Amino acid sequence: GESVGLHLPTLSVQEGDNSIINCAYSNSASDYFIWYKQESGKGPQFIIDIRSNMDKRQGQRVTVLLNKTVKHLSLQIAATQPGDSAVYFCAETVSGNTGKLIFGQGTTLQVKP
Amino acid sequence: NAGVTQTPKFRVLKTGQSMTLLCAQDMNHEYMYWYRQDPGMGLRLIHYSVGEGTTAKGEVPDGYNVSRLKKQNFLLGLESAAPSQTSVYFCASSYSLAGGETQYFGPGTRLLVL
């Protein structure tokens, strides 16, 4: 069946270092992926998205990489800051399932000063 | 723009009581969604709506009902609350269905059912 999962539940990095958060998905038919950031007590916030016809997309300090061969998605955060501390979710659309995003369980990013 | 707002922010219910959670968006989005978030389980879709007057079931619809009488509002009802419905509820909206446009989330409603 289809699933979206994150490789590590918690990632701890030093302030200023780069962070890489990983996500695996099982449905090769998925064609749209989103990364969300959720701070404590708040709703998920859109970070960046990527379509299946792309391998890489860059935003401000963030880059998403998509490897369709191994069904792997990653979020790279450059020069991680304390404000980046949050739970990060990847989500995918499932082909044929109208309007439904499938979310992973989330990775907690802890930034040490 | 206020974006997506939710009312109330927090509520305590006794088993068997009913309540309605209100979601409002001012972005003129066609599509709206209700999710629940439980520890270690990510977000699960309860119901969604593709337009005024239409609703559809998501992944975990049992025990919930929804209504979309106005484009900007999406209501989630619990007719007879159960402790298993203790969760954080998030509403989201998007311009089109997921796959073309991202979903924007509200701040959440924390519900405790005793």
mmCIF file of all heavy atoms in Angstrom, chain B residues 57-90:
data_model
loop_
_atom_site.group_PDB
_atom_site.id
_atom_site.type_symbol
_atom_site.label_atom_id
_atom_site.label_comp_id
_atom_site.label_asym_id
_atom_site.label_seq_id
_atom_site.Cartn_x
_atom_site.Cartn_y
_atom_site.Cartn_z
ATOM 1 N N LYS B 57 -16.006 12.044 2.309
ATOM 2 C CA LYS B 57 -15.324 11.387 3.409
ATOM 3 C C LYS B 57 -13.835 11.277 3.128
ATOM 4 O O LYS B 57 -13.411 11.053 2.001
ATOM 5 C CB LYS B 57 -15.907 9.986 3.632
ATOM 6 C CG LYS B 57 -17.338 9.998 4.128
ATOM 7 C CD LYS B 57 -17.839 8.580 4.349
ATOM 8 C CE LYS B 57 -19.278 8.603 4.865
ATOM 9 N NZ LYS B 57 -19.793 7.222 5.075
ATOM 10 N N GLY B 58 -13.080 11.391 4.207
ATOM 11 C CA GLY B 58 -11.646 11.181 4.119
ATOM 12 C C GLY B 58 -11.261 9.835 4.665
ATOM 13 O O GLY B 58 -11.992 8.866 4.545
ATOM 14 N N GLU B 59 -10.121 9.788 5.317
ATOM 15 C CA GLU B 59 -9.566 8.544 5.827
ATOM 16 C C GLU B 59 -10.252 8.052 7.099
ATOM 17 O O GLU B 59 -10.446 6.850 7.297
ATOM 18 C CB GLU B 59 -8.067 8.750 6.093
ATOM 19 C CG GLU B 59 -7.316 7.538 6.596
ATOM 20 C CD GLU B 59 -5.870 7.884 6.945
ATOM 21 O OE1 GLU B 59 -5.455 9.043 6.747
ATOM 22 O OE2 GLU B 59 -5.168 6.977 7.434
ATOM 23 N N VAL B 60 -10.648 8.984 7.980
ATOM 24 C CA VAL B 60 -11.224 8.627 9.279
ATOM 25 C C VAL B 60 -12.510 9.406 9.544
ATOM 26 O O VAL B 60 -12.586 10.216 10.451
ATOM 27 C CB VAL B 60 -10.197 8.842 10.416
ATOM 28 C CG1 VAL B 60 -9.089 7.817 10.363
ATOM 29 C CG2 VAL B 60 -9.612 10.250 10.368
ATOM 30 N N PRO B 61 -13.590 9.165 8.805
ATOM 31 C CA PRO B 61 -14.800 9.983 8.915
ATOM 32 C C PRO B 61 -15.774 9.585 10.031
ATOM 33 O O PRO B 61 -16.652 10.375 10.379
ATOM 34 C CB PRO B 61 -15.457 9.761 7.551
ATOM 35 C CG PRO B 61 -15.072 8.351 7.198
ATOM 36 C CD PRO B 61 -13.658 8.187 7.726
ATOM 37 N N ASP B 62 -15.608 8.376 10.583
ATOM 38 C CA ASP B 62 -16.611 7.872 11.524
ATOM 39 C C ASP B 62 -16.668 8.717 12.781
ATOM 40 O O ASP B 62 -15.659 9.025 13.402
ATOM 41 C CB ASP B 62 -16.308 6.408 11.881
ATOM 42 C CG ASP B 62 -16.478 5.489 10.682
ATOM 43 O OD1 ASP B 62 -17.158 5.897 9.718
ATOM 44 O OD2 ASP B 62 -15.939 4.366 10.706
ATOM 45 N N GLY B 63 -17.920 9.057 13.173
ATOM 46 C CA GLY B 63 -18.128 9.843 14.380
ATOM 47 C C GLY B 63 -18.157 11.342 14.128
ATOM 48 O O GLY B 63 -18.353 12.118 15.067
ATOM 49 N N TYR B 64 -17.973 11.740 12.876
ATOM 50 C CA TYR B 64 -17.943 13.155 12.520
ATOM 51 C C TYR B 64 -18.917 13.446 11.377
ATOM 52 O O TYR B 64 -19.133 12.601 10.515
ATOM 53 C CB TYR B 64 -16.550 13.581 12.061
ATOM 54 C CG TYR B 64 -15.434 13.287 13.019
ATOM 55 C CD1 TYR B 64 -14.682 12.111 12.903
ATOM 56 C CD2 TYR B 64 -15.106 14.178 14.036
ATOM 57 C CE1 TYR B 64 -13.644 11.835 13.772
ATOM 58 C CE2 TYR B 64 -14.068 13.911 14.912
ATOM 59 C CZ TYR B 64 -13.350 12.741 14.774
ATOM 60 O OH TYR B 64 -12.328 12.479 15.645
ATOM 61 N N ASN B 65 -19.447 14.664 11.390
ATOM 62 C CA ASN B 65 -20.211 15.136 10.249
ATOM 63 C C ASN B 65 -19.725 16.535 9.895
ATOM 64 O O ASN B 65 -19.138 17.227 10.724
ATOM 65 C CB ASN B 65 -21.715 15.126 10.539
ATOM 66 C CG ASN B 65 -22.079 15.967 11.751
ATOM 67 O OD1 ASN B 65 -22.080 17.186 11.701
ATOM 68 N ND2 ASN B 65 -22.363 15.307 12.854
ATOM 69 N N VAL B 66 -19.954 16.919 8.649
ATOM 70 C CA VAL B 66 -19.472 18.225 8.195
ATOM 71 C C VAL B 66 -20.542 18.907 7.357
ATOM 72 O O VAL B 66 -21.456 18.257 6.841
ATOM 73 C CB VAL B 66 -18.183 18.110 7.350
ATOM 74 C CG1 VAL B 66 -16.978 17.753 8.214
ATOM 75 C CG2 VAL B 66 -18.365 17.117 6.219
ATOM 76 N N SER B 67 -20.411 20.214 7.248
ATOM 77 C CA SER B 67 -21.298 20.975 6.372
ATOM 78 C C SER B 67 -20.539 22.155 5.779
ATOM 79 O O SER B 67 -19.691 22.758 6.440
ATOM 80 C CB SER B 67 -22.538 21.446 7.124
ATOM 81 O OG SER B 67 -22.202 22.340 8.152
ATOM 82 N N ARG B 68 -20.883 22.473 4.553
ATOM 83 C CA ARG B 68 -20.248 23.590 3.836
ATOM 84 C C ARG B 68 -21.374 24.410 3.215
ATOM 85 O O ARG B 68 -21.623 24.364 2.018
ATOM 86 C CB ARG B 68 -19.317 23.052 2.752
ATOM 87 C CG ARG B 68 -18.539 24.152 2.021
ATOM 88 C CD ARG B 68 -17.174 24.323 2.570
ATOM 89 N NE ARG B 68 -16.445 25.380 1.886
ATOM 90 C CZ ARG B 68 -15.675 25.180 0.808
ATOM 91 N NH1 ARG B 68 -15.566 23.962 0.292
ATOM 92 N NH2 ARG B 68 -15.046 26.188 0.255
ATOM 93 N N LEU B 69 -22.054 25.162 4.037
ATOM 94 C CA LEU B 69 -23.188 25.957 3.565
ATOM 95 C C LEU B 69 -22.722 27.222 2.862
ATOM 96 O O LEU B 69 -23.412 27.745 1.991
ATOM 97 C CB LEU B 69 -24.113 26.290 4.739
ATOM 98 C CG LEU B 69 -24.747 25.087 5.440
ATOM 99 C CD1 LEU B 69 -25.632 25.540 6.596
ATOM 100 C CD2 LEU B 69 -25.546 24.243 4.454
ATOM 101 N N LYS B 70 -21.579 27.731 3.278
ATOM 102 C CA LYS B 70 -21.002 28.898 2.647
ATOM 103 C C LYS B 70 -19.587 28.556 2.191
ATOM 104 O O LYS B 70 -18.899 27.760 2.844
ATOM 105 C CB LYS B 70 -20.959 30.083 3.611
ATOM 106 C CG LYS B 70 -22.311 30.624 4.005
ATOM 107 C CD LYS B 70 -22.132 31.834 4.922
ATOM 108 C CE LYS B 70 -23.482 32.418 5.313
ATOM 109 N NZ LYS B 70 -23.330 33.613 6.200
ATOM 110 N N LYS B 71 -19.167 29.174 1.138
ATOM 111 C CA LYS B 71 -17.845 28.863 0.578
ATOM 112 C C LYS B 71 -16.733 29.084 1.595
ATOM 113 O O LYS B 71 -15.760 28.329 1.631
ATOM 114 C CB LYS B 71 -17.598 29.732 -0.660
ATOM 115 C CG LYS B 71 -16.304 29.443 -1.391
ATOM 116 C CD LYS B 71 -16.184 30.317 -2.615
ATOM 117 C CE LYS B 71 -14.914 29.997 -3.394
ATOM 118 N NZ LYS B 71 -14.797 30.826 -4.625
ATOM 119 N N GLN B 72 -16.866 30.100 2.431
ATOM 120 C CA GLN B 72 -15.777 30.454 3.318
ATOM 121 C C GLN B 72 -15.773 29.663 4.622
ATOM 122 O O GLN B 72 -14.825 29.755 5.392
ATOM 123 C CB GLN B 72 -15.802 31.957 3.622
ATOM 124 C CG GLN B 72 -17.046 32.439 4.362
ATOM 125 C CD GLN B 72 -18.141 32.908 3.416
ATOM 126 O OE1 GLN B 72 -18.299 32.384 2.311
ATOM 127 N NE2 GLN B 72 -18.894 33.904 3.845
ATOM 128 N N ASN B 73 -16.825 28.893 4.881
ATOM 129 C CA ASN B 73 -16.921 28.191 6.163
ATOM 130 C C ASN B 73 -17.038 26.685 5.979
ATOM 131 O O ASN B 73 -17.727 26.207 5.068
ATOM 132 C CB ASN B 73 -18.151 28.677 6.950
ATOM 133 C CG ASN B 73 -18.050 30.116 7.354
ATOM 134 O OD1 ASN B 73 -16.962 30.667 7.453
ATOM 135 N ND2 ASN B 73 -19.184 30.740 7.581
ATOM 136 N N PHE B 74 -16.403 25.962 6.883
ATOM 137 C CA PHE B 74 -16.482 24.505 6.875
ATOM 138 C C PHE B 74 -16.617 24.055 8.317
ATOM 139 O O PHE B 74 -15.731 24.312 9.134
ATOM 140 C CB PHE B 74 -15.223 23.925 6.224
ATOM 141 C CG PHE B 74 -15.313 22.479 5.829
ATOM 142 C CD1 PHE B 74 -16.526 21.896 5.483
ATOM 143 C CD2 PHE B 74 -14.173 21.681 5.773
ATOM 144 C CE1 PHE B 74 -16.601 20.561 5.085
ATOM 145 C CE2 PHE B 74 -14.229 20.352 5.374
ATOM 146 C CZ PHE B 74 -15.449 19.792 5.035
ATOM 147 N N LEU B 75 -17.747 23.434 8.654
ATOM 148 C CA LEU B 75 -18.043 23.054 10.017
ATOM 149 C C LEU B 75 -17.823 21.557 10.227
ATOM 150 O O LEU B 75 -18.205 20.741 9.391
ATOM 151 C CB LEU B 75 -19.500 23.393 10.361
ATOM 152 C CG LEU B 75 -19.813 24.835 10.762
ATOM 153 C CD1 LEU B 75 -19.537 25.803 9.621
ATOM 154 C CD2 LEU B 75 -21.246 24.962 11.207
ATOM 155 N N LEU B 76 -17.237 21.240 11.358
ATOM 156 C CA LEU B 76 -17.037 19.847 11.751
ATOM 157 C C LEU B 76 -17.843 19.584 13.014
ATOM 158 O O LEU B 76 -17.665 20.274 14.012
ATOM 159 C CB LEU B 76 -15.557 19.557 12.022
ATOM 160 C CG LEU B 76 -15.229 18.147 12.498
ATOM 161 C CD1 LEU B 76 -15.401 17.149 11.355
ATOM 162 C CD2 LEU B 76 -13.788 18.074 13.030
ATOM 163 N N GLY B 77 -18.732 18.600 12.954
ATOM 164 C CA GLY B 77 -19.585 18.289 14.091
ATOM 165 C C GLY B 77 -19.279 16.939 14.704
ATOM 166 O O GLY B 77 -18.953 15.984 13.996
ATOM 167 N N LEU B 78 -19.362 16.920 16.028
ATOM 168 C CA LEU B 78 -19.296 15.674 16.765
ATOM 169 C C LEU B 78 -20.644 15.515 17.445
ATOM 170 O O LEU B 78 -21.009 16.317 18.309
ATOM 171 C CB LEU B 78 -18.192 15.702 17.833
ATOM 172 C CG LEU B 78 -16.745 15.601 17.381
ATOM 173 C CD1 LEU B 78 -16.258 16.893 16.726
ATOM 174 C CD2 LEU B 78 -15.857 15.241 18.564
ATOM 175 N N GLU B 79 -21.428 14.534 17.054
ATOM 176 C CA GLU B 79 -22.778 14.378 17.598
ATOM 177 C C GLU B 79 -22.768 13.786 18.995
ATOM 178 O O GLU B 79 -23.553 14.171 19.854
ATOM 179 C CB GLU B 79 -23.601 13.509 16.658
ATOM 180 C CG GLU B 79 -23.948 14.190 15.338
ATOM 181 C CD GLU B 79 -24.917 13.394 14.506
ATOM 182 O OE1 GLU B 79 -25.163 12.218 14.854
ATOM 183 O OE2 GLU B 79 -25.426 13.927 13.510
ATOM 184 N N SER B 80 -21.865 12.842 19.234
ATOM 185 C CA SER B 80 -21.771 12.192 20.530
ATOM 186 C C SER B 80 -20.296 11.898 20.789
ATOM 187 O O SER B 80 -19.776 10.866 20.366
ATOM 188 C CB SER B 80 -22.597 10.903 20.540
ATOM 189 O OG SER B 80 -22.508 10.263 21.805
ATOM 190 N N ALA B 81 -19.649 12.826 21.465
ATOM 191 C CA ALA B 81 -18.199 12.743 21.619
ATOM 192 C C ALA B 81 -17.758 11.510 22.407
ATOM 193 O O ALA B 81 -18.429 11.088 23.364
ATOM 194 C CB ALA B 81 -17.675 13.999 22.293
ATOM 195 N N ALA B 82 -16.623 10.952 21.980
ATOM 196 C CA ALA B 82 -16.022 9.799 22.646
ATOM 197 C C ALA B 82 -14.575 10.125 22.999
ATOM 198 O O ALA B 82 -13.946 10.955 22.326
ATOM 199 C CB ALA B 82 -16.065 8.584 21.722
ATOM 200 N N PRO B 83 -14.038 9.496 24.046
ATOM 201 C CA PRO B 83 -12.643 9.770 24.417
ATOM 202 C C PRO B 83 -11.655 9.560 23.269
ATOM 203 O O PRO B 83 -10.624 10.241 23.215
ATOM 204 C CB PRO B 83 -12.389 8.778 25.564
ATOM 205 C CG PRO B 83 -13.740 8.602 26.182
ATOM 206 C CD PRO B 83 -14.708 8.618 25.025
ATOM 207 N N SER B 84 -11.980 8.654 22.350
ATOM 208 C CA SER B 84 -11.099 8.414 21.199
ATOM 209 C C SER B 84 -11.025 9.613 20.254
ATOM 210 O O SER B 84 -10.152 9.655 19.364
ATOM 211 C CB SER B 84 -11.587 7.190 20.416
ATOM 212 O OG SER B 84 -12.895 7.417 19.904
ATOM 213 N N GLN B 85 -11.913 10.570 20.457
ATOM 214 C CA GLN B 85 -11.900 11.768 19.627
ATOM 215 C C GLN B 85 -11.078 12.899 20.248
ATOM 216 O O GLN B 85 -11.018 14.001 19.703
ATOM 217 C CB GLN B 85 -13.333 12.232 19.337
ATOM 218 C CG GLN B 85 -14.090 11.247 18.459
ATOM 219 C CD GLN B 85 -15.526 11.650 18.203
ATOM 220 O OE1 GLN B 85 -16.301 11.862 19.150
ATOM 221 N NE2 GLN B 85 -15.897 11.746 16.942
ATOM 222 N N THR B 86 -10.463 12.607 21.372
ATOM 223 C CA THR B 86 -9.496 13.549 21.935
ATOM 224 C C THR B 86 -8.350 13.687 20.954
ATOM 225 O O THR B 86 -7.704 12.697 20.596
ATOM 226 C CB THR B 86 -8.977 13.036 23.292
ATOM 227 O OG1 THR B 86 -10.046 13.060 24.240
ATOM 228 C CG2 THR B 86 -7.829 13.903 23.797
ATOM 229 N N SER B 87 -8.106 14.912 20.499
ATOM 230 C CA SER B 87 -7.120 15.119 19.452
ATOM 231 C C SER B 87 -6.963 16.621 19.225
ATOM 232 O O SER B 87 -7.626 17.440 19.852
ATOM 233 C CB SER B 87 -7.580 14.434 18.154
ATOM 234 O OG SER B 87 -6.576 14.451 17.166
ATOM 235 N N VAL B 88 -6.064 16.950 18.314
ATOM 236 C CA VAL B 88 -5.974 18.318 17.820
ATOM 237 C C VAL B 88 -6.526 18.320 16.398
ATOM 238 O O VAL B 88 -6.109 17.503 15.571
ATOM 239 C CB VAL B 88 -4.527 18.840 17.830
ATOM 240 C CG1 VAL B 88 -4.496 20.282 17.343
ATOM 241 C CG2 VAL B 88 -3.931 18.738 19.229
ATOM 242 N N TYR B 89 -7.458 19.213 16.156
ATOM 243 C CA TYR B 89 -8.134 19.255 14.857
ATOM 244 C C TYR B 89 -7.652 20.461 14.062
ATOM 245 O O TYR B 89 -7.632 21.585 14.559
ATOM 246 C CB TYR B 89 -9.653 19.320 15.055
ATOM 247 C CG TYR B 89 -10.202 18.043 15.643
ATOM 248 C CD1 TYR B 89 -10.229 17.844 17.021
ATOM 249 C CD2 TYR B 89 -10.654 17.028 14.810
ATOM 250 C CE1 TYR B 89 -10.705 16.654 17.558
ATOM 251 C CE2 TYR B 89 -11.138 15.834 15.344
ATOM 252 C CZ TYR B 89 -11.148 15.656 16.712
ATOM 253 O OH TYR B 89 -11.616 14.479 17.236
ATOM 254 N N PHE B 90 -7.290 20.186 12.832
ATOM 255 C CA PHE B 90 -6.823 21.243 11.945
ATOM 256 C C PHE B 90 -7.714 21.328 10.719
ATOM 257 O O PHE B 90 -8.079 20.319 10.130
ATOM 258 C CB PHE B 90 -5.387 20.984 11.488
ATOM 259 C CG PHE B 90 -4.359 21.180 12.560
ATOM 260 C CD1 PHE B 90 -3.832 20.095 13.235
ATOM 261 C CD2 PHE B 90 -3.929 22.453 12.896
ATOM 262 C CE1 PHE B 90 -2.895 20.271 14.235
ATOM 263 C CE2 PHE B 90 -2.984 22.638 13.893
ATOM 264 C CZ PHE B 90 -2.473 21.551 14.561
#
